Amino acid sequence: MFLARKAIRSQTSKKNSLIKQQFTYLSSKRDIAGVIRSDFPDIDIPNTTIPEYIFENFLTYPNKIAVECSLTEKKFTFDEVLCKSRNLSGALRQKLKLNPGDVVAVLLPNMPDYPICVFGSLMASLKVTTINPIYTPTEISVQLEDTNVKALFTLMEHVPKAQASMKLTHRRVPIIGIKMREADTVAEGAIDMREFVNTKTDIQDFPSADSNDTALLFYSSGTTGLPKGVELTHRNIISNVMQSSDLRVRMFQEATAERQDVVPVIVPIFHIFGFSSVLLVHLHKMCKMVTMPKFDAHPFVELLARHQPHILMLVPTIVNFMAKEPLVKKEYLESVRFVLAGGGPLTASDLENLSHKVANNVAVNQGYGLTETSPAVFMPSIRTRKLGTRGSVGELLSNTSVMLRKADNSDIIITSPNEPGELFVKGPQVMKGYYNRPEENKGAFLNGWFKTGDLAYYDENKLFFVTERLKELIKVKGYQVSPAELEGLLREHPDVLEAAVLGVPHERYGEAPTAYVIPRPNRNINIDNIHMYIAERAANYKHLVGGIQITDNIPKTASGKILRKELRKKYMEEIS
């Protein structure tokens, strides 16, 4: 029944897609002054679940490799992913007695088993929450408690950490252990994942989840406060996979009998960018996904040389690493057609630096999204690439509307190009809400519009630019200073590998910018030289009056965002 529904829906979907997706740009559409709708035609979003949608093409080339580990060479074909996911779904219901709506947690690095854990759980009408595998037991326990997790997937080597996390919650749930390598032993107290995926369970199917049911709980701090669960429905995720696959913005080529695009999965899958934009978008079109458990320089370079990827989807730290690292040779990038950066802001010069290492016709661009928007809102399009506008996050995706409101007075809607304001979003990819956070939900929306907390503007070509997190702006003598702008300037200095800027208290100015910089290998940083460098390139109120600190580490999230809260804490400890 599942595959029959798949075949019918696939034929209808492809037919509708051919009718709707034309290379025609419509004129700007505004319902009211300042409300901007996408120039792309709306798409029809099917009423189905994530596994049903992603699996709809899997039997076209069932024996092609779907996902392979770059470290261990463990791999699964599309047919194996489908069968193992189906088997897991039955085992979770029969052996663990899990019920629709229960939450399971996935505490894993990037590996071939990851999508099977998620798809199998969703096929059982469960909800999935993803957890960073480097978290401490205390951090893990908070998420387990908040979501009332009923089962947990993790690596065999992480089973003791998972057990320690559960002790802190004063309850025990089944732990399904997965081997990174075949030689690994089964950890005490864990269920071997192979028992659940290699055997078909004789249990009756029940109706699929509704497309508006919550499917995933990714954790995000949002615009304020502590991390909280972002409720994303099947419809949220499917709509964004479809929006990101529009002919105007897609980077992949659909698989044929003769060829298959290779896409490394370097961004963590536990993060929405890695899960939806990297993994799901490309699995759906039968690309070969090459997972990397964690980013390390030499294994990354080996991946490039051995697998010859066609598309690179990266976070800012890896973009800058590739641009400056001699190990990343131009010949390793000959197969690359597109490079897309996400997860944090990059300057035009950051993108330009990497473009020197790839072929002249290769697009190096960035997009924009949030956990709360599944994630993509803007992506570089064919038109973006033709205009050659570096630094832009591209065009608004189909079915999506945005508006910009004055940062210091949200009652005023901006109606002119090149004027920055806080970005508000509406679209089918916008989250259901924050899990069990009614008060947070009230503050997250304004008349049905999601408040991103990001400053953005658009130019005369209606290409968008996202400049800064609103809460991270530095106020110097009444002027607004963008940390991202100064970080971009600092990264252009020949002695600087990475930089982070934040505002610190100042007796005369209110706040002043201070910088933490990491030297490039075998380079020494002269602080006076850096001060002069910035003074020559920025207005005086942007000068680093708060000082410059040389460091060997800048704390960041898995997606590459600078943890300014951690830096501010470090600064306060230093001055005290």
Side-chain angles (χ1 to χ4, degrees):
M1 183 185 296
F2 171 80
L3 292 177
R5 288 200 305 268
K6 175 199 76 68
I8 294 169
R9 187 170 55 255
S10 176
Q11 292 170 7
T12 306
S13 173
K14 288 177 180 176
K15 185 176 180 181
N16 289 341
S17 177
L18 290 172
I19 294 170
K20 287 201 165 211
Q21 297 192 11
Q22 308 163 29
F23 286 94
T24 305
Y25 288 92
L26 308 179
S27 59
S28 298
K29 297 170 280 188
R30 288 178 170 81
D31 299 317
I32 59 173
V35 175
I36 303 172
R37 295 179 58 204
S38 172
D39 282 345
F40 301 161
D42 284 350
I43 54 175
D44 292 326
I45 302 160
N47 181 26
T48 187
T49 65
I50 293 168
E52 287 179 332
Y53 180 73
I54 299 300
F55 290 162
E56 67 180 0
N57 298 319
F58 274 30
L59 295 186
T60 308
Y61 304 110
N63 296 320
K64 283 186 181 288
I65 300 300
V67 58
E68 177 179 340
C69 177
S70 64
L71 190 65
T72 67
E73 299 185 22
K74 182 180 186 179
K75 64 190 73 172
F76 298 124
T77 65
F78 286 96
D79 184 58
E80 287 173 323
V81 171
L82 178 59
C83 292
K84 289 176 183 292
S85 299
R86 187 185 291 122
N87 291 344
L88 176 61
S89 169
L92 292 172
R93 291 184 288 127
Q94 185 180 69
K95 296 182 180 181
L96 299 188
K97 308 301 181 187
L98 299 183
N99 297 309
D102 286 345
V103 179
V104 297
V106 181
L107 177 71
L108 289 172
N110 290 0
M111 59 188 304
D113 308 79
Y114 208 121
I116 294 169
C117 294
V118 176
F119 294 147
S121 300
L122 295 179
M123 290 173 76
S125 295
L126 305 173
K127 300 172 187 175
V128 177
T129 189
T130 62
I131 305 177
N132 188 336
I134 70 167
Y135 272 4
T136 65
T138 300
E139 292 169 312
I140 295 168
S141 70
V142 171
Q143 194 165 332
L144 297 180
E145 188 76 32
D146 192 48
T147 55
N148 190 24
V149 161
K150 297 296 176 68
L152 182 144
F153 297 92
T154 194
L155 279 182
M156 290 297 181
E157 64 186 75
H158 290 165
V159 168
K161 181 163 69 171
Q163 292 168 331
S165 306
M166 288 173 191
K167 281 185 180 179
L168 295 173
T169 68
H170 304 292
R171 59 199 178 93
R172 295 178 64 184
V173 301
I175 298 174
I176 304 163
I178 301 169
K179 293 183 176 184
M180 177 66 81
R181 294 175 175 84
E182 193 60 35
D184 293 348
T185 58
V186 177
E188 185 177 350
I191 302 166
D192 190 339
M193 172 80 156
R194 293 175 301 179
E195 296 176 17
F196 280 21
V197 299
N198 291 343
T199 306
K200 184 177 180 181
T201 305
D202 186 18
I203 185 170
Q204 186 175 0
D205 286 339
F206 53 74
S208 299
D210 187 272
S211 64
N212 291 311
D213 287 346
T214 299
L216 295 144
L217 291 164
F218 288 95
Y219 269 65
S220 166
S221 295
T223 56
T224 58
L226 296 171
K228 42 197 169 282
V230 175
E231 291 194 79
L232 298 176
T233 66
H234 292 271
R235 179 179 170 82
N236 287 151
I237 296 292
I238 291 169
S239 65
N240 209 234
V241 170
M242 294 180 72
Q243 290 166 322
S244 303
S245 301
D246 187 289
L247 290 170
R248 299 159 191 79
V249 298
R250 68 167 60 171
M251 296 175 287
F252 60 80
Q253 293 179 5
E254 294 191 41
T256 67
E258 293 76 30
R259 67 170 313 281
Q260 183 184 27
D261 272 358
V262 175
V263 185
V265 190
I266 303 160
V267 181
I269 301 174
F270 66 76
H271 188 275
I272 186 64
F273 180 30
F275 176 78
S276 185
S277 299
V278 182
L279 186 70
L280 294 194
V281 167
H282 298 99
L283 267 185
H284 179 246
K285 298 302 182 183
M286 303 193 72
C287 300
K288 178 181 177 180
M289 314 306 296
V290 181
T291 59
M292 190 171 186
K294 66 176 183 177
F295 180 82
D296 283 316
H298 287 280
F300 174 68
V301 172
E302 288 172 9
L303 185 157
L304 295 176
R306 178 168 174 246
H307 289 279
Q308 293 291 294
H310 301 96
I311 298 163
L312 293 175
M313 302 188 75
L314 310 168
V315 293
T317 48
I318 301 178
V319 170
N320 290 317
F321 166 83
M322 289 183 66
K324 296 182 178 182
E325 175 54 59
L327 285 172
V328 181
K329 301 183 185 299
K330 196 160 186 170
E331 55 263 32
Y332 298 160
L333 304 173
E334 289 177 351
S335 59
V336 175
R337 295 196 312 273
F338 293 100
V339 179
L340 179 70
L346 283 166
T347 65
S349 61
D350 291 328
L351 300 170
E352 187 68 35
N353 290 337
L354 180 55
S355 70
H356 294 319
K357 279 203 172 178
V358 294
N360 292 333
N361 60 339
V362 172
V364 181
N365 292 109
Q366 61 182 327
Y368 168 83
L370 308 99
T371 306
E372 292 84 350
T373 56
S374 305
V377 176
F378 303 106
M379 282 186 67
S381 63
I382 293 171
R383 188 166 70 101
T384 313
R385 298 192 283 270
K386 283 182 178 177
L387 290 170
T389 310
R390 292 228 186 262
S392 167
V393 293
E395 297 198 64
L396 191 57
L397 294 179
S398 57
N399 300 56
T400 308
S401 302
V402 298
M403 72 165 84
L404 300 174
R405 291 175 175 264
K406 284 278 190 181
D408 53 359
N409 186 351
S410 62
D411 290 336
I412 300 175
I413 299 175
I414 293 169
T415 59
S416 303
N418 301 309
E419 188 176 351
E422 183 179 2
L423 180 68
F424 288 71
V425 181
K426 267 188 183 180
Q429 72 270 50
V430 175
M431 67 171 179
K432 190 175 184 177
Y434 292 118
Y435 185 65
N436 290 337
R437 300 288 198 282
E439 292 305 313
E440 297 273 11
N441 287 331
K442 289 178 185 176
F445 293 90
L446 177 66
N447 300 325
W449 291 84
F450 174 65
K451 301 169 62 174
T452 68
D454 287 320
L455 284 176
Y457 69 92
Y458 59 93
D459 65 11
E460 292 80 2
N461 294 311
K462 226 181 84 174
L463 299 182
F464 279 78
F465 298 77
V466 177
T467 58
E468 197 64 64
R469 294 291 288 167
L470 190 59
K471 65 181 180 181
E472 292 175 353
L473 284 174
I474 305 167
K475 294 291 184 70
V476 182
K477 297 186 290 185
Y479 294 105
Q480 292 182 343
V481 177
S482 162
E485 177 189 356
L486 290 174
E487 288 158 2
L489 285 175
L490 287 166
R491 286 195 296 267
E492 291 177 21
H493 191 282
D495 295 336
V496 174
L497 177 66
E498 191 55 84
V501 173
L502 66 152
V504 297
H506 191 276
E507 187 177 357
R508 290 173 54 200
Y509 300 159
E511 279 189 305
T514 188
Y516 286 83
V517 294
I518 299 175
R520 291 191 66 181
N522 304 317
R523 296 289 187 101
N524 294 317
I525 287 181
N526 182 302
I527 289 178
D528 289 339
N529 181 282
I530 299 290
H531 277 296
M532 289 171 48
Y533 180 84
I534 294 296
E536 292 170 357
R537 290 162 174 80
N540 59 3
Y541 66 88
K542 298 180 183 179
H543 294 178
L544 298 170
V545 174
I548 299 170
Q549 305 291 327
I550 299 172
T551 184
D552 59 1
N553 177 58
I554 292 173
K556 294 188 177 185
T557 67
S559 66
K561 290 189 178 74
I562 295 168
L563 291 168
R564 297 185 207 279
K565 187 187 297 183
E566 294 294 321
L567 277 180
R568 191 166 284 108
K569 179 181 176 183
K570 180 179 179 181
Y571 174 84
M572 297 307 293
E573 289 172 352
E574 288 169 350
I575 65 169
S576 64

